[in-house]
Amino acid sequence: GAGVSQSPSNKVTEKGKDVELRCDPISGHTALYWYRQSLGQGLEFLIYFQGNSAPDKSGLPSDRFSAERTGGSVSTLTIQRTQQEDSAVYLCASRNQGTQYFGPGTRLTVL
Amino acid sequence: GIQVEQSPPDLILQEGANSTLRCNFSDSVNNLQWFHQNPWGQLINLFYIPSGTKQNGRLSATTVATERYSLLYISSSQTTDSGVYFCAVEYSSNTGKLIFGQGTTLQVKP
C-alpha cells in the first residue's frame, strides 16, 4: 500500500515568510508525528496527533510553529515568520501497532 | 531526559564484512526501533524491537531491556547498506514519541 507522503519535497523561502508543510499518513493510522532533522540537533520530536487532537506539542520550538490535522488524516505544519534557524528537513511519521513509518521529508531552506 | 547513545559514530567496511552497531539508553523504555536513512534521506524502518532478538535477512537485532542496550548486526555487508543507522526509543507510553540517537554513519566500499 501507499506509504507516508509529504509535500513539497523542497521549499526555499525568504526570511520572514510563512510556510506550510503537508503530510498524508498511511490510511487508517490514527497516530501522526512531526519531527525535524537538522545538522546541529539531529532528529527531534515536534508534535504528536492522536486523531485530530494534539496531546503533545512539547517539541514545538516556538509559538511561530503550529500544526493541525483534519479528518484524522492530513496534517499541516505551519511556520510563521520563518528564520534561518528553521532550515531543516521536516519529517512526518504515522504509527501502527507501535511501529512508526516515515515519509520522505520536506527540506526547508530559509534564505 | 533520557539519553540515547550510539556507537561507533562512523564505520567504514569492505563489502562482505560483518558489523555490530550499538545503542545504549539511560532509562527504561517502552519500545525501540532501528532505522536506516538512505543517501536520499528516507528513513526506513528496520526493526521494532523492545526486547529479544529479531532477524530479517542479513540484518538482525537484539535488545536487552534490563541492561539498557540494543545491538544491530549487519552480515555480509553490501554497498547498498551504506547510510546512517538510527536507534530510537519510545520513552513515554502516552504518546509514543521517539527519542533518537545521533546515528552511526556506515560506508561500505566495493
Side-chain angles (χ1 to χ4, degrees):
Chain A
V4 178
S5 61
Q6 293 185 245
S7 61
S9 55
N10 282 283
K11 177 73 176 178
V12 180
T13 190
E14 293 179 347
K15 178 181 173 181
K17 300 283 190 182
D18 298 351
V19 296
E20 285 189 352
L21 313 179
R22 177 187 168 107
C23 171
D24 283 89
I26 295 171
S27 178
H29 287 192
T30 57
L32 184 148
Y33 302 82
W34 284 96
Y35 295 86
R36 179 169 73 171
Q37 186 173 25
S38 56
L39 280 176
Q41 300 298 321
L43 271 151
E44 305 172 286
F45 165 80
L46 296 177
I47 187 169
Y48 157 64
F49 285 92
Q50 179 60 42
N52 291 335
S53 64
D56 190 346
K57 306 179 183 179
S58 62
L60 295 178
S62 76
D63 57 9
R64 296 186 294 104
F65 287 71
S66 62
E68 65 175 11
R69 188 178 185 195
T70 56
S73 182
V74 171
S75 177
T76 302
L77 178 68
T78 301
I79 309 173
Q80 295 180 309
R81 305 180 303 280
T82 52
Q83 303 294 312
Q84 288 183 332
E85 61 262 28
D86 300 334
S87 296
V89 177
Y90 290 82
L91 293 160
C92 174
S94 65
R95 183 174 65 137
N96 183 42
Q97 296 183 344
T99 301
Q100 292 192 27
Y101 300 88
F102 281 78
T106 294
R107 182 174 297 277
L108 175 66
T109 303
V110 182
L111 300 177
Chain B
I2 191 170
Q3 303 298 313
V4 182
E5 297 181 354
Q6 293 186 239
S7 59
D10 300 282
L11 186 59
I12 299 174
L13 298 176
Q14 208 64 37
E15 198 168 27
N18 303 328
S19 64
T20 301
L21 281 57
R22 187 176 180 103
C23 172
N24 291 334
F25 40 96
S26 60
D27 204 342
S28 299
V29 299
N30 297 315
N31 292 310
L32 186 146
Q33 286 188 246
W34 282 98
F35 295 91
H36 174 217
Q37 188 168 41
N38 65 23
W40 296 271
Q42 176 73 52
L43 271 171
I44 299 163
N45 180 58
L46 298 177
F47 293 102
Y48 168 75
I49 185 165
S51 63
T53 298
K54 291 186 177 180
Q55 181 156 7
N56 184 3
R58 297 181 296 104
L59 301 181
S60 64
T62 295
T63 297
V64 184
T66 53
E67 298 187 19
R68 299 180 185 171
Y69 73 88
S70 184
L71 302 174
L72 178 68
Y73 305 96
I74 305 174
S75 64
S76 305
S77 59
Q78 301 176 356
T79 56
T80 52
D81 294 332
S82 296
V84 184
Y85 290 80
F86 288 101
C87 163
V89 301
E90 180 186 328
Y91 184 45
S92 164
S93 61
N94 293 328
T95 70
K97 67 184 178 186
L98 294 175
I99 309 299
F100 283 81
Q102 291 301 306
T104 292
T105 301
L106 173 64
Q107 181 182 2
V108 181
K109 295 186 172 183

